[in-house]
Amino acid sequence: MQLYKILLVDDEEEIRKGIIKKIKWEELGFVVVGEAENGIEALDIIDKTMPDVVITDIRMPFMDGIKLAENIKYRFPTNKVIVLSGFDDFEYAQEAIKLGVIRYILKPINSIEFTELLKEVKHLLDEEIRSKNDLETLKINYQKSLPLLKERFLNHWIEDYVAEEEIEENIHILDLDIAQKHLALAVIRPDELGKEEKDIKTLKNKHLLKMAIFNICEEVVKEHNLGTIFMKINEMVVIIPLKVHETVKSSSRIAVALEQIRIAVQKYLETTVTIGVGNICTNKSMLYKTYASALAALDYTIMLGSNKIIYIDDIEPAQNDINFEEGDERELLGAIRVGQKEKIEEAVSRVLAKVEETQVSLSDYQIYIVEVFSSIMRLIKNMDLDINKIFPDNVNFFTIINGFRSKKEVKEWLLEVCFKVTEEFSLKRSSSKSDIIERAQKYIDSNYWDDELNAEKLCNYLHISTNYFSALFKKETKLNFTSYLTKVRIEKAKELLRNTDMKAFDIGNKVGYTEGHYFSYVFKKITGLTPTEYRNGKA
């Protein structure tokens, strides 16, 4: 049986021990993972043990139960908080409820009442876990959201470069019938929906018309097993998997289905649609280009008229050239930034494989390499790297590119360039991290006396995010910000205790603790001695 973890927080040790002793925790499904005598100590224990339930007193030194509940709500929102209070105070209870406290119980509470309380809490926790793990509920919710997930992915796919691994994963997860390698794409645009309308009634009628057109299109697509259809604002998009050796123009099933859509809309809805058919897509990651070519076909409606099927191949014959694609550029530059050698080698191989697969002239080949190199040069500029540390002085890159005599030479040179850039970027990044830590430590060393000094204030000075700073500082110093600040303050306090006659209260103030009792508490927690004992040489 899973035991839920509990933390007890009360400034009276006798009460804590009494509660622990009286209750049969394991029989009720719980285990006590810690005790704390104030809110500050409790937060530290919560961070380490991650309890499910925190049972806390209200009035405690340094940080009371209400302030603790507020911190828990912000930092550990899944934790349940129970307040045990000796004060029948309406304002306390009201504030506790606002902070999400699940029970506000007045002391004293006997073991029977406490046992019943824990049974209620366990039931609440069990129900939460059960609802989250209810596979049937998850399946039902997933099935309900599946159409939306499909439409969202398909819209994303036709708008931008998507990695082939992501495409195949979504095709499998969303159960899309698009297994074939080669794809065609048609955009169906209602001719009457492009006009801007402000009248609400007209807008509603247009929405109904759009849905009626979509229903006809969907029915025809299913009848001819044409592919996958989905909505995109005022257009319908059909992704058409092509059979082996099938082309858009030679396929009677595509021509018949699209013509049937055009005629049915005109016959049954007394309106018209124009259909644009794009170039064949041979790489699923490049489907966005096929979509763009289908839209380009629709642009010719102005010259050719509406209520037609327009094939882009009829108007703009394909060009036999090669370009450095946006997706390939993103992959190569991303690999250089991350600095993984294997990823860089894969990206360079993929970039050069396109040239090997395409019969192009020498001049086109050289232009392609220049495009690749220009992208790397822009990256160097954007990352503000010193180009002189990467390339020799007065180097002529065009002479180098013109001098290549084999594909092997090109690949070796490109890899060398990429490795140099990623090495220089890595050195700069390491230097930048060290500089941030050094500046942070100097700032703390100079401002430890500020009782309002916190990570947020420091990050505002450094102009970086708190999350990034916290992770970086912990990684580099092995301490979190609070622990490091406490360490600096206590060292300064020890120095003052050894070398001055100042009172402990004044020393606390001088090192950033405005409350004398809390200074003494922290000092003893770190050193094992009170300030007075330390001064008297009991160390």
Side-chain angles (χ1 to χ4, degrees):
M1 179 179 70
Q2 177 188 351
L3 297 178
Y4 295 111
K5 295 184 284 186
I6 281 187
L7 171 65
L8 293 175
V9 189
D10 197 304
D11 59 334
E12 296 184 45
E13 185 179 10
E14 186 179 340
I15 291 177
R16 298 198 307 269
K17 299 299 183 188
I19 292 174
I20 292 172
K21 188 176 180 181
K22 289 178 182 177
I23 303 301
K24 297 178 180 179
W25 298 98
E26 289 195 11
E27 289 182 16
L28 295 170
F30 294 92
V31 59
V32 177
V33 294
E35 311 171 41
E37 60 184 38
N38 59 65
I40 293 175
E41 189 176 347
L43 287 173
D44 188 44
I45 296 173
I46 293 171
D47 197 31
K48 293 173 182 174
T49 63
M50 295 304 292
D52 301 291
V53 183
V54 176
I55 301 175
T56 180
D57 189 16
I58 282 282
R59 295 194 178 177
M60 299 178 292
F62 312 135
M63 181 187 287
D64 64 23
I66 295 296
K67 194 68 178 175
L68 172 60
E70 184 179 346
N71 272 271
I72 290 173
K73 182 180 180 182
Y74 175 69
R75 292 175 56 187
F76 311 99
T78 59
N79 286 14
K80 308 300 179 192
V81 179
I82 298 171
V83 168
L84 298 180
S85 175
F87 303 92
D88 188 5
D89 190 318
F90 176 74
E91 286 188 11
Y92 269 139
Q94 193 176 39
E95 186 65 26
I97 291 168
K98 283 182 184 177
L99 294 171
V101 170
I102 61 171
R103 294 288 186 277
Y104 186 92
I105 309 297
L106 291 176
K107 297 177 182 177
I109 179 171
N110 60 44
S111 58
I112 296 174
E113 292 172 319
F114 206 100
T115 297
E116 289 304 312
L117 171 64
L118 290 174
K119 286 179 180 178
E120 288 179 27
V121 174
K122 184 178 184 301
H123 178 72
L124 176 65
L125 293 169
D126 287 344
E127 283 301 309
E128 279 190 3
I129 291 175
R130 191 175 294 114
S131 65
K132 287 176 183 175
N133 293 335
D134 188 341
L135 291 179
E136 283 306 312
T137 303
L138 289 173
K139 285 179 183 177
I140 292 169
N141 291 334
Y142 177 72
Q143 288 299 324
K144 285 180 180 178
S145 62
L146 197 56
L148 179 61
L149 293 173
K150 284 183 179 180
E151 189 166 307
R152 187 177 296 169
F153 166 69
L154 292 168
N155 272 276
H156 169 54
W157 185 14
I158 65 171
E159 285 179 338
D160 200 359
Y161 175 89
V162 181
E164 193 146 358
E165 296 80 5
E166 183 183 343
I167 294 168
E168 296 302 333
E169 181 182 350
N170 276 280
I171 286 174
H172 174 70
I173 292 172
L174 301 174
D175 194 26
L176 298 170
D177 185 18
I178 314 176
Q180 288 82 344
K181 184 176 180 181
H182 293 182
L183 304 173
L185 184 145
V187 178
I188 303 162
R189 179 180 290 168
D191 294 320
E192 295 298 317
L193 292 185
K195 300 172 184 176
E196 186 176 348
E197 297 287 352
K198 294 182 180 178
D199 180 70
I200 297 297
K201 187 176 180 180
T202 306
L203 286 172
K204 285 183 178 178
N205 288 339
K206 283 200 168 187
H207 179 71
L208 292 174
L209 177 61
K210 179 172 66 175
M211 294 310 300
I213 293 172
F214 180 80
N215 288 339
I216 288 175
C217 295
E218 187 175 39
E219 187 177 316
V220 174
V221 166
K222 285 181 179 177
E223 179 186 340
H224 292 271
N225 194 25
L226 196 61
T228 299
I229 184 169
F230 59 98
M231 192 86 76
K232 182 168 177 59
I233 309 178
N234 286 332
E235 301 166 345
M236 296 95 211
V237 180
V238 187
I239 298 175
I240 308 167
L242 296 174
K243 299 174 182 177
V244 178
H245 305 307
E246 184 181 29
T247 66
V248 174
K249 296 302 294 293
S250 68
S251 172
S252 59
R253 71 184 182 98
I254 295 175
V256 168
L258 295 181
E259 182 65 10
Q260 186 176 331
I261 287 171
R262 189 188 68 78
I263 293 172
V265 169
Q266 187 173 17
K267 179 180 179 180
Y268 297 113
L269 301 178
E270 297 182 350
T271 187
T272 60
V273 295
T274 301
I275 303 172
V277 184
N279 297 318
I280 289 179
C281 173
T282 58
N283 179 346
K284 288 179 181 175
S285 291
M286 298 300 165
L287 186 63
Y288 70 96
K289 293 202 166 189
T290 299
Y291 171 65
S293 67
L295 293 180
L298 287 171
D299 289 340
Y300 285 90
T301 303
I302 299 170
M303 293 177 284
L304 301 177
S306 58
N307 193 22
K308 287 182 171 59
I309 301 172
I310 305 173
Y311 294 85
I312 193 66
D313 284 348
D314 288 342
I315 304 163
E316 300 177 358
Q319 300 295 314
N320 294 319
D321 60 358
I322 184 166
N323 297 302
F324 185 35
E325 303 287 356
E326 183 184 343
D328 294 331
E329 180 185 34
R330 189 186 296 113
E331 182 182 3
L332 176 60
L333 300 188
I336 293 172
R337 284 193 187 93
V338 173
Q340 292 181 324
K341 187 176 179 182
E342 296 79 11
K343 293 290 184 184
I344 293 173
E345 289 175 342
E346 288 175 11
V348 169
S349 296
R350 193 169 287 113
V351 165
L352 296 180
K354 286 199 169 183
V355 186
E356 295 172 10
E357 294 167 0
T358 310
Q359 295 297 321
V360 295
S361 65
L362 176 62
S363 60
D364 285 342
Y365 178 77
Q366 290 170 336
I367 290 169
Y368 179 77
I369 299 303
V370 169
E371 287 179 6
V372 175
F373 182 69
S374 296
S375 293
I376 297 172
M377 291 297 286
R378 283 195 297 273
L379 179 66
I380 292 170
K381 183 176 183 294
N382 292 338
M383 293 194 300
D384 197 25
L385 302 180
D386 187 349
I387 195 169
N388 294 320
K389 291 183 179 179
I390 301 171
F391 303 109
D393 292 338
N394 302 318
V395 64
N396 189 318
F397 301 112
F398 295 103
T399 302
I400 293 174
I401 291 170
N402 286 330
F404 291 137
R405 291 293 175 266
S406 70
K407 295 172 184 175
K408 182 181 178 184
E409 287 179 9
V410 176
K411 185 173 184 178
E412 287 175 350
W413 179 75
L414 261 183
L415 284 172
E416 183 184 358
V417 169
C418 293
F419 291 152
K420 283 182 178 178
V421 174
T422 198
E423 182 181 351
E424 186 62 23
F425 181 56
S426 177
L427 289 171
K428 181 175 181 178
R429 188 162 45 192
S430 298
S431 174
S432 174
K433 287 180 180 178
S434 299
D435 181 59
I436 289 171
I437 298 302
E438 186 177 341
R439 287 173 61 209
Q441 290 174 327
K442 283 183 179 178
Y443 185 88
I444 294 170
D445 289 342
S446 301
N447 295 274
Y448 63 88
W449 49 267
D450 182 0
D451 62 296
E452 293 182 352
L453 179 58
N454 55 32
E456 186 177 354
K457 191 171 185 178
L458 173 57
C459 289
N460 286 336
Y461 166 76
L462 296 172
H463 302 295
I464 59 175
S465 73
T466 308
N467 288 340
Y468 174 73
F469 168 77
S470 298
L472 179 62
F473 194 86
K474 182 74 178 286
K475 182 180 179 182
E476 297 295 322
T477 67
K478 310 305 179 190
L479 294 172
N480 61 34
F481 167 81
T482 304
S483 299
Y484 184 87
L485 176 59
T486 301
K487 179 183 175 184
V488 170
R489 283 173 167 171
I490 297 304
E491 287 303 316
K492 297 293 181 183
K494 286 160 70 175
E495 185 178 326
L496 291 170
L497 285 166
R498 289 194 304 268
N499 301 323
T500 72
D501 295 321
M502 292 172 65
K503 294 180 179 178
F505 176 86
D506 294 327
I507 288 175
N509 258 318
K510 203 168 183 63
V511 298
Y513 296 104
T514 55
E515 190 174 341
H517 292 299
Y518 184 58
F519 166 62
S520 297
Y521 167 80
V522 174
F523 191 96
K524 185 171 183 179
K525 186 176 180 181
I526 299 298
T527 66
L529 301 170
T530 65
T532 303
E533 289 171 341
Y534 182 87
R535 172 172 272 164
N536 293 336
K538 292 187 178 181

